[in-house]
């Protein structure tokens, strides 16, 4: 007996998330269908023009907006930025450097510093537990 394996598929929202694009900005045929793992791999390996354009110009989903601005997604929410932004809008925000953006970038820098400190502390503790006792 030969087992028949069905291809793994995902919803368009999941595929858009994996591609790092805003679902509502994708073509209708992408939004309305299902995407197989093979199709997703093909889109990643050889992106069509619409995908290249979306990645370059947006509109971008919140995780991408947050990363481009150097803040957290929560920081965007605190600032009231809930919609997708284009690259042009993100660049304009960087130029304006509003007070909320400066504050959220500082907060994000502190979080990264604390995360690094904890990681280092855990590594030291693990090394101490590994070393033989005399």
């Amino acid at each position: 007996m030969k087992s028949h394996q069905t291809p793994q598929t995902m919803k368009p929202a999941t595929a858009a998330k994996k591609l790092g694009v805003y679902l509502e900005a994708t073509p209708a045929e992408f939004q309305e269908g299902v995407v197989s793992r093979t199709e997703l791999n093909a889109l990643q390996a050889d992106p069509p023009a619409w995908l290249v354009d979306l990645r370059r110009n947006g509109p971008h989903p919140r995780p991408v907006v947050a990363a481009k601005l150097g803040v957290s997604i929560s920081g965007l929410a605190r600032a009231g930025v809930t919609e997708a932004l284009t690259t042009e809008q993100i660049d304009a925000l960087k130029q304006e450097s509003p007070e909320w953006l400066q504050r959220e970038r500082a907060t994000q820098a502190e979080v990264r510093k604390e995360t690094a400190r904890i990681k280092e502390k855990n590594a030291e503790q693990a090394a101490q537990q590994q070393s033989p006792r005399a």
Side-chain angles (χ1 to χ4, degrees), residues 91-102:
D91 291 343
L93 271 174
K94 286 179 180 177
Q95 289 294 320
E96 293 168 18
S97 191
E99 189 268 326
W100 70 263
L101 182 57
Q102 294 173 30

Side-chain angles (χ1 to χ4, degrees), residues 36-81:
S36 71
R37 173 66 62 189
T38 306
E39 291 168 331
L40 179 69
N41 291 341
L43 287 170
Q44 290 173 325
D46 187 23
W50 65 264
L51 182 54
V52 172
D53 187 53
L54 270 180
R55 286 178 169 168
R56 184 182 319 116
N57 302 318
H60 303 287
R62 285 184 313 173
V64 174
V65 172
K68 286 180 179 272
L69 289 173
V71 300
S72 66
I73 295 172
S74 299
L76 286 178
R78 283 190 291 273
V81 179

Side-chain angles (χ1 to χ4, degrees), residues 11-132:
K11 295 177 181 176
T14 304
K17 190 174 190 176
K18 289 180 181 286
L19 292 169
V21 295
Y22 186 57
L23 178 63
E24 285 75 16
T26 60
E29 60 270 8
F30 181 86
Q31 292 180 39
E32 294 163 3
V34 292
V35 180
S36 71
R37 173 66 62 189
T38 306
E39 291 168 331
L40 179 69
N41 291 341
L43 287 170
Q44 290 173 325
D46 187 23
W50 65 264
L51 182 54
V52 172
D53 187 53
L54 270 180
R55 286 178 169 168
R56 184 182 319 116
N57 302 318
H60 303 287
R62 285 184 313 173
V64 174
V65 172
K68 286 180 179 272
L69 289 173
V71 300
S72 66
I73 295 172
S74 299
L76 286 178
R78 283 190 291 273
V81 179
T82 55
E83 71 281 351
L85 299 178
T86 64
T87 301
E88 191 176 303
Q89 291 169 315
I90 293 168
D91 291 343
L93 271 174
K94 286 179 180 177
Q95 289 294 320
E96 293 168 18
S97 191
E99 189 268 326
W100 70 263
L101 182 57
Q102 294 173 30
R103 183 178 61 245
E104 292 300 336
R105 281 180 167 172
T107 300
Q108 188 70 1
E110 285 300 315
V111 168
R112 285 188 186 117
K113 195 185 312 179
E114 180 65 7
T115 301
R117 185 191 68 77
I118 292 170
K119 185 176 180 181
E120 187 176 309
K121 180 182 171 191
N122 289 343
E124 286 174 10
Q125 287 175 345
Q128 286 176 354
Q129 290 174 355
Q130 293 286 326
S131 64

